[in-house]
């Protein structure tokens, strides 16, 4: 049983002069002649919504019902409306927060429109066609030609548009919109077709203020459309995230502890947890409600408040970056060349360029993200944000966090790339249900990271967790670090290839020679032949035995819930994991009497670098 209740929201209706009566088809009732807007989810004083008992949502909901992502907001940050335009809305613009707070004592407004329905040929005005001089724009207001300067988009049901503050815009006649916006009722009208209100007077304009806050550059229409589970993310901002879902049957959704979930039915009908859902209905699902089911044949718009981060995976050839939400969904990603050979300042410039690029693709500004995380190869002092030494880059004492802050103006958290990957697996991947986890990456070398009580263990000057360089065989195989007998010298992909070649050279009758030559040996060759070739089996058995020895040592020291393995060799799946688990279970201190340590395969794959970098910020 859920301890909280899903609430059907009762909207507050508005009768502005441009409104019609289509919203009556969406279950809205009013004694007034027109219903221009229904404020579906609103804590705003100009139109607060209520529950079915007539109580204001703003008074009955507790902070825990809203979610931890809203803790930093002074007021409830979002407002959801349905809009029916029987006539053109005024040409208008909304200020940003900085201007609005300074001059109006309230927040600005960024919004998005989902087109619920539209008459044939109906459309919207959105942004300027080309860069425009302020004086030219002002003259167009005076002579009534302002719409000639604006983009006109003919719209249809199912379109959506994101409108940042400062964008000049207007909804045309014949459009029904679901609007998700900042919790603001601040609008600067610049042109209203010289029509008059009920008092016989033209409605006031706010031209001087509008000229101050408007963006006069050419508008670029771009929009998000990212499938996340059974929803599509269609709009993201600091104040709201909007999703679309089409349900035919039944679908499970989740309200986690970080954010409430509100949903508005824009087509069809159904049921949610025993409550009838009709066209035009909006429901509020409290944060921490957990899973809830929507059944029927319907389309809905979801509204949540998510947090966003930028993750940077700094590699020797390419820099990869992405915008990530607080549930580990990569919203957008891209990469650019590192250009290490051009020096550290060029690399820092390239990182900054990539950050701006992914933010632009996500439609987010720098002020809308929680921070930037970065995984960097080498010896890293994460406390000071310094690359102490990186052989890959030829860097010594590079203050990378300060360099990026200077360019972007957003705080940066860095760590060794393997440590970042470990934290990423702990928060988003194979270890997400565990407090204690160790990651071992089995590649050219053996890297790793240690997470204890959900915190990275980095050691003195963040130089710890060189797990591949613990000796498991005294005076054993030569390691690249200079010592002999390290785990890396036995359990890396490089070591596996070396041992496979040795076996082939020593045993000319090995079936592994069917591949043709030693040059064609890979980390999977011995695994491919282990069932038909005793020499291949011996290579695999030795590899697993040595890797299990290292895992057991770490399990005995740190007592993690799991040791997670990454790298190409993990493609062997159960052929690797099952025998490893068997040995670890047998060899671990106290055996069955002690806590179990699971051996798992990493799940983040190529996303580990970006998600690990974001985890650094989330876990600071």
């Amino acid at each position: 049983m859920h301890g909280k209740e899903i609430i059907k929201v009762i909207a507050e209706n508005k009768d502005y002069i441009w409104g019609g009566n289509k919203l009556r088809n969406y279950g809205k009732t009013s004694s007034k002649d027109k219903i221009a807007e229904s404020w579906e989810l609103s804590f705003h004083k100009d139109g607060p919504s209520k529950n079915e008992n007539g109580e204001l949502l703003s008074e009955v909901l507790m902070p825990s019902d809203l979610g931890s992502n809203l803790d930093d907001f002074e007021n409830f940050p979002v407002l959801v409306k349905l809009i029916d335009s029987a006539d053109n809305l005024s040409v208008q613009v909304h200020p940003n927060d900085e201007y609005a707070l300074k001059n109006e004592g309230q927040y600005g407004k960024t919004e998005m429109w989902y087109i619920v329905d539209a008459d044939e040929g109906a459309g919207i005005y959105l942004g300027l066609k080309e860069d425009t001089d302020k004086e030219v724009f002002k003259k167009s207001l005076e002579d009534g030609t302002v719409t000639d300067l604006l983009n006109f988009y003919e719209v249809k049901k199912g379109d959506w548009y994101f409108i940042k503050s400062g964008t000049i815009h207007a909804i045309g006649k014949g459009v029904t919109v679901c609007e998700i916006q900042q919790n603001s009722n601040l609008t600067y009208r610049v042109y209203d077709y010289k029509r008059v209100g009920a008092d016989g007077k033209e409605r006031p304009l706010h031209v001087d203020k509008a000229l101050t806050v408007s963006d006069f550059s050419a508008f670029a229409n771009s929009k998000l459309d990212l499938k996340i589970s059974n929803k599509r993310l269609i709009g993201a901002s600091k104040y709201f995230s909007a999703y679309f879902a089409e349900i035919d049957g039944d679908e499970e959704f989740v309200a986690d502890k970080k954010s409430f979930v509100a949903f508005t039915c824009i087509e069809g009908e159904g049921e949610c947890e025993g409550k009838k859902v009709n066209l035009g209905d909006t429901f509020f699902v409290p944060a921490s409600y957990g899973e809830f089911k929507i059944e029927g044949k319907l389309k809905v718009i979801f509204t949540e408040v998510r947090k966003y981060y930028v993750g940077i995976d700094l590699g020797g050839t390419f820099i990869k970056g992405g915008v990530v939400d607080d549930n580990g969904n990569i919203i957008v990603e891209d990469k650019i060349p590192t250009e290490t050979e051009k020096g550290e300042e060029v690399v820092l410039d390239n990182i900054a360029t990539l950050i701006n690029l992914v933010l632009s693709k996500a439609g987010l500004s720098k002020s809308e993200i929680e921070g930037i995380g970065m995984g960097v190869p080498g010896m890293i002092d994460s406390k000071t944000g310094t690359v102490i030494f990186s052989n890959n880059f030829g860097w010594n004492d590079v203050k990378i966090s300060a360099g990026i802050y200077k360019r972007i103006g957003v705080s940066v958290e860095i760590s060794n790339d393997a440590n970042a990957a470990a934290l990423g697996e702990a928060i988003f991947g194979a270890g997400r249900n565990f407090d204690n986890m160790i990651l071992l990456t089995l590649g050219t070398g053996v890297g790793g990271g240690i997470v204890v009580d959900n915190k990275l263990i980095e050691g003195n000057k963040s130089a710890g967790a060189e797990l591949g360089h613990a000796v498991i065989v005294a005076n054993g195989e030569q390691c690249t670090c200079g010592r002999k007998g390290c785990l890396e010298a036995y359990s890396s992909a490089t070591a596996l290839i070396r041992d496979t070649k040795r076996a082939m050279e020593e045993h000319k009758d090995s079936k592994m020679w069917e591949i043709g030559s030693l040059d064609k040996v890979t980390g999977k060759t011995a695994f491919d032949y282990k069932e038909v070739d005793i020499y291949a089996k011996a290579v695999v058995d030795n590899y697993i035995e040595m890797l299990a020895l290292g895992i057991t040592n770490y399990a005995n020291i740190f007592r993690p819930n799991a040791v997670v393995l990454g790298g190409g060799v993990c493609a062997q799946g159960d052929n690797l994991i099952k025998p490893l688990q068997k040995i670890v279970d047998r060899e671990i201190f106290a055996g069955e009497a002690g806590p179990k340590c699971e051996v798992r395969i990493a799940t983040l794959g190529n996303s580990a670098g970006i998600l690990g970098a974001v985890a650094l910020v989330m876990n600071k």
Side-chain angles (χ1 to χ4, degrees):
M1 293 292 290
H2 292 284
K4 299 183 178 183
E5 179 186 3
I6 295 177
I7 300 170
K8 181 179 180 180
V9 181
I10 307 301
E12 176 78 8
N13 298 323
K14 303 288 185 179
D15 64 339
Y16 305 131
I17 62 172
W18 44 261
N21 274 297
K22 289 181 180 178
L23 293 186
R24 296 185 191 275
N25 299 327
Y26 292 79
K28 309 307 169 186
T29 60
S30 175
S31 60
K32 301 170 184 177
D33 292 338
K34 300 175 179 180
I35 306 177
E37 296 182 350
S38 64
W39 290 23
E40 295 293 308
L41 178 63
S42 169
F43 283 32
H44 198 283
K45 61 181 177 59
D46 292 344
S49 47
K50 302 174 182 177
N51 63 17
E52 289 185 282
N53 296 328
E55 301 168 300
L56 295 177
L57 289 186
S58 58
E59 294 182 358
V60 299
L61 293 174
M62 304 294 290
S64 60
D65 296 323
L66 307 182
S68 59
N69 282 354
L70 283 77
D71 289 348
D72 294 335
F73 290 105
E74 183 179 356
N75 300 303
F76 190 72
V78 63
L79 197 162
V80 180
K81 301 175 180 176
L82 291 176
I83 299 174
D84 168 31
S85 61
D87 198 359
N88 294 324
L89 277 70
S90 63
V91 178
Q92 57 190 248
V93 69
H94 307 299
N96 61 25
D97 287 344
E98 182 181 4
Y99 182 92
L101 287 169
K102 180 179 179 180
N103 295 279
E104 306 286 359
Q106 55 180 304
Y107 283 89
K109 183 177 173 183
T110 286
E111 61 192 311
M112 71 162 293
W113 299 334
Y114 183 92
I115 309 302
V116 176
D117 207 352
D119 296 343
E120 187 171 350
I124 60 173
Y125 293 100
L126 188 54
L128 293 161
K129 293 178 182 177
E130 56 188 37
D131 293 351
T132 302
D133 181 85
K134 184 184 293 187
E135 293 305 316
V136 171
F137 184 80
K138 185 176 181 181
K139 186 176 185 303
S140 75
L141 297 176
E142 295 168 353
D143 60 24
T145 60
V146 64
T147 55
D148 293 341
L149 299 180
L150 302 175
N151 297 296
F152 180 78
Y153 295 94
E154 188 172 318
V155 299
K156 64 182 184 303
K157 178 192 291 188
D159 292 341
W160 66 93
Y161 300 85
F162 198 86
I163 305 104
K164 282 187 168 292
S165 60
T167 305
I168 303 160
H169 62 276
I171 299 176
K173 65 184 296 185
V175 184
T176 306
V177 170
C178 180
E179 177 176 289
I180 304 96
Q181 60 161 88
Q182 278 184 256
N183 183 10
S184 171
N185 197 27
L186 182 57
T187 297
Y188 295 153
R189 291 190 205 98
V190 295
Y191 184 70
D192 200 29
Y193 309 96
K194 297 188 180 301
R195 59 189 163 192
V196 297
D199 59 1
K201 299 178 181 179
E202 292 185 15
R203 294 197 296 174
L205 301 179
H206 317 92
V207 174
D208 289 341
K209 289 182 178 180
L211 291 174
T212 302
V213 304
S214 293
D215 181 355
F216 292 106
S217 60
F219 176 76
N221 184 35
S222 60
K223 59 186 180 182
L224 284 174
D225 186 6
L226 176 70
K227 185 173 177 56
I228 299 177
S229 185
N230 52 2
K231 298 186 293 186
R232 287 160 57 198
L233 176 66
I234 58 175
S237 79
K238 176 180 179 180
Y239 300 95
F240 62 82
S241 294
Y243 306 81
F244 169 83
E246 184 170 3
I247 301 158
D248 188 359
D250 63 80
E251 295 284 353
E252 292 276 0
F253 302 96
V254 177
D256 58 37
K257 66 180 180 180
K258 300 171 188 173
S259 176
F260 70 91
V261 175
F263 66 90
T264 301
C265 178
I266 57 171
E267 186 176 310
E269 61 180 19
E271 188 175 285
C272 178
E273 300 293 299
K275 295 177 181 285
K276 180 67 176 174
V277 179
N278 294 308
L279 179 64
D281 284 349
T282 293
F283 287 82
F284 181 94
V285 185
S288 297
Y289 186 90
E291 292 184 351
F292 62 96
K293 183 183 292 185
I294 301 178
E295 304 171 78
K297 188 175 180 62
L298 63 164
K299 296 177 181 178
V300 297
I301 299 295
F302 288 91
T303 304
E304 305 173 21
V305 177
R306 308 299 342 167
K307 290 188 175 183
Y308 294 96
Y309 307 80
V310 171
I312 297 294
D313 180 10
L314 182 58
T317 305
F318 284 100
I319 311 166
K320 299 177 183 178
V323 175
V324 180
D325 73 12
D326 51 25
N327 284 324
N329 299 301
I330 298 179
I331 308 306
V332 298
E333 60 182 316
D334 214 321
K335 66 179 182 179
I336 62 174
T338 310
E339 298 185 305
T340 311
E341 71 281 0
K342 295 183 180 180
E344 65 191 60
E345 291 299 320
V346 171
V347 174
L348 293 178
D349 287 342
N350 290 341
I351 294 170
T353 296
L354 181 59
I355 291 169
N356 286 324
L357 175 62
V358 295
L359 285 174
S360 177
K361 290 176 68 173
L364 294 168
S365 64
K366 294 181 288 187
S367 64
E368 292 184 285
I369 59 172
E370 299 297 309
I372 300 167
M374 192 182 315
V376 183
M379 187 178 296
I380 310 300
D381 188 338
S382 59
K383 291 183 176 60
T384 63
T386 303
V387 180
I388 298 173
F389 172 74
S390 178
N391 185 59
N392 296 25
F393 294 89
W395 284 2
N396 289 280
D397 195 34
V398 174
K399 294 175 174 52
I400 191 168
S401 292
I404 298 303
Y405 184 83
K406 179 181 178 182
R407 289 164 171 81
I408 300 294
V410 178
S411 62
V412 181
E413 299 289 329
I414 71 167
S415 187
N416 170 268
D417 52 357
N419 280 339
L423 192 59
E425 286 289 346
I427 292 180
F428 300 122
R432 69 185 308 164
N433 296 319
F434 300 138
D435 294 336
N436 304 284
M437 188 210 80
I438 290 175
L439 174 71
L440 287 175
T441 55
L442 312 174
T444 304
V446 173
I450 305 163
V451 178
V452 175
D453 293 333
N454 289 314
K455 297 291 184 183
L456 271 175
I457 302 299
E458 297 179 288
N460 185 23
K461 290 191 176 293
S462 312
E466 291 291 350
L467 300 178
H469 299 291
V471 171
I472 59 172
V473 177
N475 296 313
E477 295 282 354
Q478 181 67 53
C479 182
T480 56
C481 73
R483 304 179 75 196
K484 291 185 176 182
C486 293
L487 178 64
E488 180 174 299
Y490 292 91
S491 297
S492 62
T494 305
L496 179 58
I497 292 169
R498 177 202 64 210
D499 289 348
T500 302
K501 289 180 177 180
R502 282 180 182 172
M504 292 171 64
E505 288 176 324
E506 292 172 5
H507 305 284
K508 298 300 182 181
D509 58 334
S510 170
K511 291 183 180 296
M512 290 188 286
W513 280 105
E514 291 176 356
I515 65 173
S517 69
L518 293 178
D519 293 339
K520 296 182 179 180
V521 171
T522 69
K524 63 190 292 288
T525 302
F527 279 93
D528 288 345
Y529 283 90
K530 70 182 182 66
E531 299 298 329
V532 296
D533 186 278
I534 58 171
Y535 310 117
K537 183 178 185 302
V539 170
V540 170
D541 288 348
N542 182 70
Y543 178 81
I544 290 173
E545 187 75 34
M546 290 300 184
L547 179 55
L549 178 59
I551 292 172
T552 305
N553 286 342
Y554 297 133
N556 285 340
I557 296 169
F558 297 102
R559 285 298 186 180
N561 301 92
V563 172
V564 176
L565 304 179
V569 70
C570 294
Q572 298 300 323
D574 285 348
N575 287 333
L576 176 70
I577 297 301
K578 284 188 174 181
L580 279 173
Q581 187 71 67
K582 185 176 181 180
I583 297 171
V584 172
D585 288 346
R586 183 187 72 219
E587 297 294 329
I588 195 169
F589 182 77
E592 294 183 359
K596 184 176 176 63
C597 175
E598 294 187 27
V599 182
R600 293 189 170 191
I601 292 175
T603 60
L604 298 185
N606 292 332
S607 300
I610 292 174
L611 291 176
V614 165
L616 296 172
V617 185
M618 294 181 64
N619 209 47
K620 66 178 180 180

